[in-house]
Amino acid sequence: MLGRKKIEWVSNYMPLLNYIQETYKGVFDGVKIAMGIHLEAKTAYLAITLKKLGAKVFVTGCNPLSTQDDVAEALEEFGIIVHAKRTNDEGVYFKNLNKILDYEPDLILDDGADLSVIVHTKRKELLKNLKGISEETTTGVRRLKNLEENKLLSVPAIAVNNAKMKHLFDNRYGTGQSTWDSIMRNTNILIAGKNIVVAGYGWCGRGIALRAKALGANVIITEVDPIKALEALMDGYRVMKMSEAAKIADIIVTSTGMKDVVKFEDILAMKDGIILANAGHFNVEIPVKEIEKHADKIFDARNNVKGYVINGKKVFVIGEGRLVNLAAADGHPIEIMDISFALQTLSLIYLKENYEKLENKVYDYPESLDIKVASLKLKSLGIDIDKLSEEQKEYLKGF
Amino acid sequence: MLGRKKIEWVSNYMPLLNYIQETYKGVFDGVKIAMGIHLEAKTAYLAITLKKLGAKVFVTGCNPLSTQDDVAEALEEFGIIVHAKRTNDEGVYFKNLNKILDYEPDLILDDGADLSVIVHTKRKELLKNLKGISEETTTGVRRLKNLEENKLLSVPAIAVNNAKMKHLFDNRYGTGQSTWDSIMRNTNILIAGKNIVVAGYGWCGRGIALRAKALGANVIITEVDPIKALEALMDGYRVMKMSEAAKIADIIVTSTGMKDVVKFEDILAMKDGIILANAGHFNVEIPVKEIEKHADKIFDARNNVKGYVINGKKVFVIGEGRLVNLAAADGHPIEIMDISFALQTLSLIYLKENYEKLENKVYDYPESLDIKVASLKLKSLGIDIDKLSEEQKEYLKGF
Amino acid sequence: MLGRKKIEWVSNYMPLLNYIQETYKGVFDGVKIAMGIHLEAKTAYLAITLKKLGAKVFVTGCNPLSTQDDVAEALEEFGIIVHAKRTNDEGVYFKNLNKILDYEPDLILDDGADLSVIVHTKRKELLKNLKGISEETTTGVRRLKNLEENKLLSVPAIAVNNAKMKHLFDNRYGTGQSTWDSIMRNTNILIAGKNIVVAGYGWCGRGIALRAKALGANVIITEVDPIKALEALMDGYRVMKMSEAAKIADIIVTSTGMKDVVKFEDILAMKDGIILANAGHFNVEIPVKEIEKHADKIFDARNNVKGYVINGKKVFVIGEGRLVNLAAADGHPIEIMDISFALQTLSLIYLKENYEKLENKVYDYPESLDIKVASLKLKSLGIDIDKLSEEQKEYLKGF
Amino acid sequence: MLGRKKIEWVSNYMPLLNYIQETYKGVFDGVKIAMGIHLEAKTAYLAITLKKLGAKVFVTGCNPLSTQDDVAEALEEFGIIVHAKRTNDEGVYFKNLNKILDYEPDLILDDGADLSVIVHTKRKELLKNLKGISEETTTGVRRLKNLEENKLLSVPAIAVNNAKMKHLFDNRYGTGQSTWDSIMRNTNILIAGKNIVVAGYGWCGRGIALRAKALGANVIITEVDPIKALEALMDGYRVMKMSEAAKIADIIVTSTGMKDVVKFEDILAMKDGIILANAGHFNVEIPVKEIEKHADKIFDARNNVKGYVINGKKVFVIGEGRLVNLAAADGHPIEIMDISFALQTLSLIYLKENYEKLENKVYDYPESLDIKVASLKLKSLGIDIDKLSEEQKEYLKGF
């Protein structure tokens, strides 16, 4: 019942999915869709939407810790097949992924590309029936592109992450808000006046940095890209190497998509009581395993916060170094996911209708669909904008 | 055990109380202190601190919904007498206040002045033993001053709220962060792009507005004070009457200390899905009772969020209109309360040592103690600041 | 003609003075008013306003470099007596002050209190006719209070600076904008990404810091007051001693009202190309004389910017270390001065009508006039705000 | 002498050009370079740099009003041939462009593409000797691409504007600061609390909006692109059609690259005293000619500000509707242009060395040069950033 209530709540703030449910009825009749998602109320409402459009829907997680079990339960009441459980056991996690794939999906809606990579490596027999993949994240797109470069990609894939309405919104406004929502609720510490280190100044990183600054923090950026480093500097942040930043940090948030962004030797240089959180897709950015190995004491410090004593100093890690807004909170704000999921749904419709014409490569998100989602969102907000006149369009062509 | 863990957690981020525990041992030997507080981990650590300084400590709540029962339980293990329970029943709430008073305290540490007002109105026999009151909030100070103006105040009282280190920090940085922490965790909705109305541009209101703006909202202020209204305008906000603002609001947060700030007729003009929250001390700012009376349907929309259907439109109220950061989250950030409680403790020491010399009036917070707390905080952060030279001090005297 | 055009321009954006000209006609009939002001278009329009209200007006400067000669000339065409000239010669400056005083004013409108101090020290014979003083600045109020403490003050004085509509607006929004307007126009350097040190976190300093941060700078605050230092920290700035800040600064702006805020030894530690500016009333905050004494080379680097070579490094000082927004630009924005001058005019009317009842002390600005000016400003903007109902006023009295 | 002093001043804050002067000596020996630029101190220093690298340099303006005559004069003393004059006469302007072209340049450094378009349309005989074009602006790149699409482009062109170090910095931080520098110095009005309409939310527009908000304004965005409109909304701005925004605006700044962004009928709906400024390349965004035609009175309101009376209301236009930061101030901050000009110089070297291998098309800026400039800038600031380890690079290739 609690899961169902959560789903009802989000349906209040998802005007685009509600619109799509009305407008595209029957579009997926007979289509089998496998979803690998952070299973909570918003993704549940996406699954329900796909079902209402006619699809047979099979749902699993895309991260061991991000499944909310009450929501998973509620979803089954809607006639959706679910294999997902919040767990620390990666074996269980992958077993569930495989169970979903057993249904031989026509389309995969992926988040991080775990389903897609399994299909292309360990379970190639499933490629026969598969028509296309729609992938949500930066990390997943990178993995699919690597498959493509290695000539392994066997179906067309759409990089939903590359939609402007995705990476400009989800990664920036979504991650920005939800990362701090999670850190604040899990620690109750003051952000104002703190030295906060954000590793990575991509779209996620700048969202995280912007909100940290807005909450009164003194933000320090680490980067490997000199252009992004300069942008950070001119946005008013300090820019340093991690080995320097670690010494003065009160909180470190990683958001790079890269492994070992914080090194164990950085941990040793940190202040007593340092708080570490990761906002990147995989739990490889903070060296949690090494911390565990070297800790003199490990204890539950608070819900979702683990404490370690190393060389007499306390180190706190939120959500086990998994992406902090999902592993230790409710993920992105509802309206952000409404936009992303409208993109996803239109992407799946596009794949279903065009897969025969498409090559086996990673496609950028179709621009016309991107603009369509933006226009729908503006309409749902009652906002009217200017349009170019014919004369103005003509002017654009001049030289 | 959970309550104790929570208290341990906050002790990591309360350097001032830790310092005071060491420095003022024995100062309250034999002194009975009654505390009316939002009973959660941070106030618990204040109670423990007073106990460690030698006091007999008696604790009750200062708001029916803000007591965390697991913390109350843990506190008793420290040898502190507690009468407090999270409840919707105001009768239970006031019964607990009276139980604490039965111990005939020497000093009252109050938050909202409920204990102090009871002593001065219904239980005047207790005034005999009482030496002084230390009051935390704007609202409580106002009530004590009204007692004074009516010539009813019978002990010296210190307006801790008037300390610079209190109202400049607690009300601004504390309320600013914790109000949004609470609204975000309880709704999971996006703040960016929303029309957010903040009623009242006092220290609390401007903290709330600043953080809302920082999270990307479009903020509208309502005020009754023309000077504050102009400040809001020049800080980049729109300023309107509530009756106008209500029509376009997505979220309304009240923070005025005044009753009926939102009127029921304003509710009728609101958009479907409006979210209402109160950050003022008492639950009088939003007309919850009238909403309940006129609702066609009432339902639990989410933890801490109640839904009402009025004229076919949904209205959501967080934490029953009680102060949202405490009734539906963890209250102010730890470090903020560490400062406020350092002020409180020094205030109680001051009352204990000087009550015979003091008149029965509401005193501003002693400036020297205010500066002392600031200096201790800077020291705990390792920050060194400039000092005036003798020559410079001399310059200040010139004309 | 240029001066007259400047005055016409400002009259477009001074709704309050325009309103007062209409409403209080004749109020100063026969009254002699001496004004010591930064003589530029806005103060000129104040002088014209006083004249239109019936006064005989005598104008001089209040800072040797802040007089704009074309405006001074234009003012004489309006029948106002002016003794003021942009000059580096302090002798000429003080001679002009004395000339104005020769007219035996009834009221003094002062800015920095030079006129008032002369009357109370070197020209006491003028006290006989003098009825009151209205003083604009923090510095001037401090000097008058020191006169009062030394029992030398011989007329009632009103601290216009203490009006909320003055120090909350002029010092914060006015100084904030105009300081950066001046620095940007005089240097053309980029603010974003720079290390900018602001000395002093009073109302002026926080305006300067806020705008610097907003322009993308990394701002460092120096302070002597621990409470203000903590506010700066929680507002997201770094806080240091000047001796540390000087080493990494790209620009230093002083705004303390104190002498020798930057020491010559700090200059020696600075980076090549450092830019120094002062936003405090007197030119005592930056050690210009010592810099001149020790410079190996002095040169005009740009209009209003002097270059010095010390130990092979370049040091640039804007506007000779005098308050940078007036000595090297056009002073506060017009609308800010419209508010301040409305306060000044009402203050002079108040003094004229009540001087016989007043004591010889420095009075805070009358609250009712403060609110009146705020209300007039809101009205001129077409903004309507809420009003307390009788029931709500009653609620405020409760306990 | 004044012009020379200006050039010396900017040389203090152009570390990249200084570095390039040292490092690439002789690279342009014998090469003839025609420059169409906003001729002021910074572009002058670029011309000097090219000359020091061995080139014969010919300079003209790229906008009739943006030439500073004293700088033009000074430049000739450096042995550079200059045909440029601040003028309202477009005939004179184009005559000067043609004079420069008479020298039969090998390379064109263009800003807005006037030189390039003339060569490709009216003076095709010059194409014989021309090896390449390096173009600075969005507008110029659009014009060159239109030439390319019409199969008219006859030499390789490099879109310097497309360099990340250009459009992410120049358009955002440069235009943002310099637009407000210009508006503030030319009007002296308060920005805080004003309704400011920014037309266009491209890189320039968002820089302008960001700084306006930072100065305390209430910013409204107009857009034709629904995605950008939503970004603006989530960045906290209001989004409207121009016809609505015009009614409540205090200041309107256009920055779209499109003509007729403000329509004459919008002018009629505006408030008395409205201020209009354009930050786009061409003076086509504000309908200055129509305003002139319909004005009952035209007058010089202030330096660079023209006043018009239409239907009894005053309308003020800064810098005749030409790009306000150059026509009425000193253009972008020095350090921004240092970056852009380092890009330009490396682009010209690249064209000189590779033109034979290149096709006659508009090339994006070479990524390696982009990163090189970023790295040089970081080095000049003394900032060290992280580098990917071999292991990390390997990780990026995985799937």
Side-chain angles (χ1 to χ4, degrees), chain B residues 214-263:
Chain B
L215 287 160
N218 198 302
V219 178
I220 298 162
I221 303 293
T222 73
E223 247 301 339
V224 295
D225 176 337
I227 296 175
K228 287 180 182 164
L230 273 173
E231 279 187 278
L233 190 85
M234 300 231 171
D235 287 340
Y237 306 112
R238 280 188 282 169
V239 175
M240 295 182 196
K241 299 178 77 159
M242 179 57 83
S243 54
E244 291 305 308
K247 293 177 194 165
I248 56 174
D250 295 302
I251 304 175
I252 297 178
V253 185
T254 54
S255 173
T256 65
M258 173 49 64
K259 73 171 185 173
D260 299 333
V261 176
V262 177
K263 292 183 182 47

Side-chain angles (χ1 to χ4, degrees), chain A residues 277-350:
Chain A
N278 168 45
H281 189 81
F282 287 118
N283 60 335
V284 298
E285 313 206 6
I286 296 169
V288 177
K289 279 175 196 162
E290 279 186 275
I291 293 173
E292 269 171 22
K293 210 175 78 186
H294 293 89
D296 299 316
K297 191 184 152 191
I298 303 181
F299 59 103
D300 285 331
R302 217 167 182 267
N303 274 346
N304 295 316
V305 183
K306 204 155 262 176
Y308 304 87
V309 179
I310 300 178
N311 291 356
K313 290 188 295 187
K314 285 180 199 152
V315 174
F316 298 110
V317 178
I318 309 180
E320 308 190 6
R322 295 181 192 275
L323 74 180
V324 69
N325 59 347
L326 278 154
D330 295 313
H332 283 341
I334 301 168
E335 296 88 339
I336 288 293
M337 299 320 292
D338 186 40
I339 295 173
S340 294
F341 294 163
L343 293 166
Q344 278 283 21
T345 308
L346 297 189
S347 167
L348 289 171
I349 295 173
Y350 182 84

Side-chain angles (χ1 to χ4, degrees), chain C residues 131-132 156 350-360 363:
Chain C
K131 276 104 191 156
Y350 182 85
L351 280 170
K352 184 223 151 198
E353 290 177 351
N354 296 284
Y355 72 93
E356 288 168 316
K357 290 174 254 166
L358 297 172
E359 296 171 57
N360 294 341
Y363 282 89

